[in-house]
Amino acid sequence: MANDKIQIEVAYATPHRQLIIPLRVTAGTPVSECISLSEISRYFPEIDLANQKVGIWSKTVKLEHEPREGDRIEIYRPLIADPKASRRRRAERAVDDGRADPVTGGRRRRDKTAEQPEDE
């Protein structure tokens, strides 16, 4: 089984360009070697596996992981903003703009009594 070939893909994307390279490798080949065999760094020289995470089908894996038949190895770009900090800034803006409750930070509830016409 060690000499069996499997079909995989190596994928990387920037905001402007995406590339998916199909590849046949020997079963048991680690992710790092699959990436090297794909020669994807020819197209994206900024890839740095020492600092970037990799995954298979959106789940991070280690470079030593062995992909299976049909797996897509994905190289993830570093985040440009901390998601928690971004969410906090959006929530603060919503409070400042009056779109959120200043105490809870949640959406303001509409006052249903003000919307209903008064009975005569």
Side-chain angles (χ1 to χ4, degrees):
M1 177 153 172
N3 292 330
D4 291 345
K5 296 282 187 174
I6 59 171
Q7 182 71 37
I8 62 164
E9 298 175 333
V10 177
Y12 185 72
T14 66
H16 307 289
R17 186 173 174 210
Q18 171 184 316
L19 184 60
I20 299 173
I21 299 175
L23 194 63
R24 288 191 67 74
V25 296
T26 304
T29 303
V31 166
S32 60
E33 192 174 332
C34 292
I35 293 170
S36 178
L37 289 170
S38 74
E39 297 183 349
I40 200 161
S41 60
R42 284 182 31 211
Y43 306 97
F44 300 99
E46 69 272 15
I47 292 176
D48 179 11
L49 295 180
N51 296 316
Q52 290 177 258
K53 292 186 178 191
V54 297
I56 294 178
W57 297 116
S58 301
K59 293 187 178 189
T60 57
V61 296
K62 296 182 186 240
L63 291 171
E64 300 82 35
H65 181 83
E66 295 174 1
R68 295 183 290 185
E69 175 71 30
D71 279 351
R72 177 185 296 158
I73 299 170
E74 303 160 338
I75 305 166
Y76 304 123
R77 290 180 288 126
L79 295 175
I80 56 173
D82 176 24
K84 287 182 181 179
S86 297
R87 169 68 181 102
R88 191 175 303 113
R89 281 193 302 273
R90 283 195 311 271
E92 289 168 355
R93 267 197 312 268
V95 169
D96 292 344
D97 294 347
R99 294 179 286 125
D101 185 289
V103 176
T104 65
R107 290 186 180 169
R108 287 189 181 269
R109 293 186 183 258
R110 291 177 141 172
D111 184 11
K112 292 185 179 187
T113 58
E115 292 178 4
Q116 295 176 0
E118 294 181 25
D119 290 335
E120 292 182 21

